[in-house]
């Protein structure tokens, strides 16, 4: 979603802002802009379109500075165009800001500002902030205080960066519900909405918390709350390398991330398996282990792909722990006054750790006194920091908008949690050891599936122009069907639906004819015979069957039109394997259609607005 970068120091700010914005492109955006201070004046360069376009506009202007802010916008209020692109300014143009998030009371604020004589250029909610800060500066306040006074009137969310030619040596940053981090350098400082935008310059960072505002100079920074309370902040080190952020020789981040899964799953497992004890070790859960073992109910909440991993976890928890488990969309959970009782533990699953709905759901659950567990990839992310306890999935940075390796790592972590709790409950040592052995085999099995790349590419060639797809699975593989359909629709724009295979007879079968491809996730497990009958039902209606089946399954070849064979494993771990051919199928179809798989239209990597 929208991205923020900022710089104050002694170097030319333009390449720093452009590089930072390029690093944030993966989040999805529709316009980009910067503001720098030149000879006591603010200079704004912005437009609809890509950062590379902004770069050429900035080069053509040939202006330079040692302080500036940059933004990539993903439209929420007002269409993507030049006027609505950030930065925005007050009428005199001497207070300039960029903003992520949504000002919910912007209509009320706008009306009041109009009655005070202010005029508006854009359709954005952000512009009210520039005028509001102007109101407080004109009353004699310095920029730092004026921003805090303005923010005290604001309802909604913001990651904010402000500069002003009236005070050319400071940069103001603020955060509420939208991430913002300060990068601490030597005689220079940075801000960004995501550490990836600043780690080429510094690894020393300070994460702002909600309601905090920072005044940053080239020499240092200080932080206050919106209510004027001085806050002392800890500088922490980020352990991310540039290689981890680059494409590593692959055409796209998505393919790189799919191909990385043997290592990313291994990283999720690293140091967490105890063979002799037939269990796992998860440091982040140690302080809440007793509560989890005796929990009366688990609730798992998330959005998109992370929600699908929650659905798989529901099967794991209920099979091995016999703890009633509910899975809910975070966007629904947060608004329906959920019933939370003593003995409930709630898991918040998020790759980014910044998804607005999931974060708000967690804050709502905390208000109600629930035990909140974060399952995140983003280290130091808002969900990771605000939860009571949690487990990092350690998948490494995921840049492609379509989530792939984060999904398999989320499943791996849920299986580790299941093993840990099951061994505390009634699972035997022998059974625990079998599961640990199966975990160890996963990276090698994933490698084998990835070797089927060209076979899957051939199948993609056949179906690249198909307008519709059905994905069907049962039990553990029903959520995999949902995930396969989501992957295909989000990057190839082909309409695809996932269903529990038996549910097909209650409606979707009406869609089946000789043109309808139906992807069955049909590994050899307890539902195998049932799903075979479902395949027959599709064949009887001349549908085209693509089956994801187990390696030694010859029977499937006699009924399916295409089959992709994956190694066998225990039921709980099967989705980690069965989803991979579906990721590749979606990937190759989208590539063959000539689409931008890393940044599909209308989508953002991190959805930080509700
Ligand atoms: C997945 O491919 C999506 N792009 C999307 O559904 C994503 O999973 C969702 O927005 C949740 O994101 P999170 O895991 O970062 O919270």
């Amino acid at each position: 979603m929208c991205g923020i970068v900022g710089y104050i120091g002694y170097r030319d700010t333009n390449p720093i802002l452009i590089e930072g914005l390029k690093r944030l492109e993966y989040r999805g955006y529709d316009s980009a802009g910067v503001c720098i201070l030149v000879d006591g004046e603010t200079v704004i360069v912005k437009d609809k379109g890509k950062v590379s376009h902004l770069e050429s506009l900035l080069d053509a202007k040939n202006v330079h500075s040692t302080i500036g802010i940059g933004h990539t916008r993903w439209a929420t209020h007002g269409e993507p165009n030049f006027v609505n692109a950030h930065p925005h300014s007050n009428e005199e143009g001497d207070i300039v800001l960029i903003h992520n998030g949504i000002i919910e009371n912007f209509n009320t604020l706008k009306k009041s500002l109009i009655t005070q004589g202010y005029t508006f250029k854009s359709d954005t909610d952000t512009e009210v902030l520039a005028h509001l800060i102007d109101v407080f500066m004109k009353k004699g306040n310095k920029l730092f205080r004026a921003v805090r006074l303005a923010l005290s009137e604001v309802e909604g969310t913001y990651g904010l960066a402000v500069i002003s030619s009236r005070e050319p040596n400071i940069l103001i940053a603020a955060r509420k519900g939208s991430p913002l981090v300060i990068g601490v350098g030597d005689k220079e400082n940075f801000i960004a909405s995501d550490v990836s935008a600043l780690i080429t310059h510094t690894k020393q960072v300070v994460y702002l918390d909600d309601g905090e505002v920072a005044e940053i100079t080239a020499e240092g920074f200080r932080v206050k709350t919106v209510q004027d309370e001085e806050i002392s902040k800890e500088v922490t080190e980020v352990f991310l390398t540039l290689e981890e952020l680059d494409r590593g020789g692959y055409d796209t981040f998505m393919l790189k991330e799919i191909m990385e899964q043997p290592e990313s799953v291994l990283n999720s497992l690293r140091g967490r398996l105890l063979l002799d004890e037939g269990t796992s070790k998860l440091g982040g859960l140690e302080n809440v282990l007793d509560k989890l073992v005796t929990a009366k109910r688990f609730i798992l909440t998330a959005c998109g792909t992370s929600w699908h991993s929650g659905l798989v976890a529901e099967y794991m928890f209920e099979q091995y722990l016999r703890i009633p488990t509910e899975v809910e969309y975070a966007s629904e959970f947060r608004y329906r006054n959920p019933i939370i009782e003593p003995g409930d533990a709630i898991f918040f699953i998020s790759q980014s750790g910044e998804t607005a709905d999931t974060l708000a759901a967690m804050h709502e659950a905390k208000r109600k006194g629930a035990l909140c567990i974060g399952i995140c990839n983003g280290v130091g992310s808002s969900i990771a920091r605000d939860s009571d306890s949690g487990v990092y999935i350690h998948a490494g940075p995921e840049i492609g908008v379509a989530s792939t390796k984060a999904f398999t790592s989320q499943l791996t972590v849920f299986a580790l949690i299941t093993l840990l709790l099951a061994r505390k409950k009634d699972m035997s040592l022998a059974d625990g050891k079998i599961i640990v052995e199966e975990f160890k085999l996963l990276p090698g099995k994933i490698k084998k599936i990835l070797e089927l790349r060209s076979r899957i590419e051939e199948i993609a060639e056949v179906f690249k122009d198909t307008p519709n797809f059905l994905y069907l699975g049962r039990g553990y593989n029903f959520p995999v069907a949902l995930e396969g359909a989501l992957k295909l629709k989000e990057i190839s724009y082909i309409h695809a639906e996932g269903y529990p295979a038996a549910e097909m007879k209650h409606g979707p079968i009406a869609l089946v004819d000789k043109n309808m491809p139906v992807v069955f996730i049909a590994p050899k497990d307890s539902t195998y015979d049932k799903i075979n009958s479902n395949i027959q039902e599709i064949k009887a209606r001349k549908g085209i069957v693509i089956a994801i089946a187990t390696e030694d399954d010859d029977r499937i070849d006699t009924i399916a039109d295409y089959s992709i064979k994956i190694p066998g494993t225990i039921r709980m771990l099967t989705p980690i394997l069965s989803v991979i051919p579906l990721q590749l199928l979606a990937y190759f179809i989208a590539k063959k259609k000539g689409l931008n798989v890393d940044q599909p239209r209308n989508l953002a990597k991190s959805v930080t607005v509700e």
Side-chain angles (χ1 to χ4, degrees), residues 314-531:
E314 180 182 13
Y315 284 90
M316 297 177 181
F317 289 170
E318 294 200 345
Q319 181 189 350
Y320 288 98
L321 308 178
R322 308 302 296 152
I323 295 176
T325 303
E326 289 168 25
V327 188
E328 186 152 12
Y329 286 117
S331 53
E332 291 299 312
F333 179 88
R334 63 183 286 200
Y335 284 120
R336 68 170 178 83
N337 194 15
I339 299 165
I340 293 165
E341 298 185 327
D344 284 348
I346 312 190
F347 291 79
F348 297 86
I349 317 156
S350 175
Q351 185 285 128
S352 58
E354 302 293 352
T355 298
D357 282 323
T358 313
L359 185 59
M362 188 170 81
H363 290 156
E364 179 60 16
K366 275 193 118 174
R367 253 192 300 278
K368 290 181 185 287
L371 173 65
C372 297
I373 315 288
I375 306 294
C376 296
N377 194 31
V379 175
S381 60
S382 303
I383 293 174
R385 286 184 301 135
D386 290 0
S387 50
D388 297 309
S389 300
V391 184
Y392 281 120
I393 64 169
H394 293 316
E398 189 179 70
I399 310 290
V401 164
S403 189
T404 51
K405 64 175 181 169
F407 181 68
T408 47
S409 283
Q410 286 166 343
L411 299 186
T412 305
V413 163
F414 275 120
L416 287 168
I417 295 173
T418 304
L419 175 62
L420 174 67
L421 301 183
R423 285 285 292 127
K424 292 266 172 207
K425 288 172 85 101
D426 58 4
M427 184 184 278
S428 69
L429 173 63
D431 286 347
K433 282 185 168 179
I434 294 171
I435 295 180
V436 172
E437 291 294 0
E438 284 295 336
F439 268 118
K440 288 186 166 170
L441 297 173
L442 276 177
K445 290 182 180 178
I446 296 173
K447 259 189 205 142
K448 271 187 101 175
I449 300 171
L450 295 171
E451 282 163 14
L452 302 174
R453 230 172 112 176
S454 23
R455 160 94 182 125
I456 298 170
E457 191 171 358
E458 280 164 23
I459 299 175
E461 178 62 34
V462 179
F463 293 102
K464 66 178 194 305
D465 298 316
T466 309
N468 297 294
F469 261 85
L470 268 180
Y471 285 72
L472 303 176
R474 297 184 82 129
Y476 275 100
N477 285 300
F478 154 54
V480 177
L482 296 181
E483 176 60 8
L486 177 66
K487 285 291 86 84
L488 186 69
K489 71 186 127 192
E490 70 180 331
I491 59 168
S492 73
Y493 317 145
I494 291 175
H495 171 239
E497 292 195 46
Y499 268 94
E503 187 63 21
M504 165 193 77
K505 290 195 286 292
H506 302 279
I509 200 164
L511 298 169
V512 176
D513 63 12
K514 65 178 180 10
N515 299 314
M516 175 65 95
V518 184
V519 180
F520 274 95
I521 302 105
K524 272 202 178 153
D525 62 17
S526 55
T527 63
Y528 180 73
D529 287 332
K530 301 273 175 214
I531 209 159

Side-chain angles (χ1 to χ4, degrees), residues 267-281:
N267 286 337
S268 307
L269 292 172
R270 210 179 287 283
R272 290 170 163 177
L273 288 174
L274 303 176
L275 179 59
D276 290 345
E277 293 161 49
T279 189
S280 65
K281 180 176 157 44

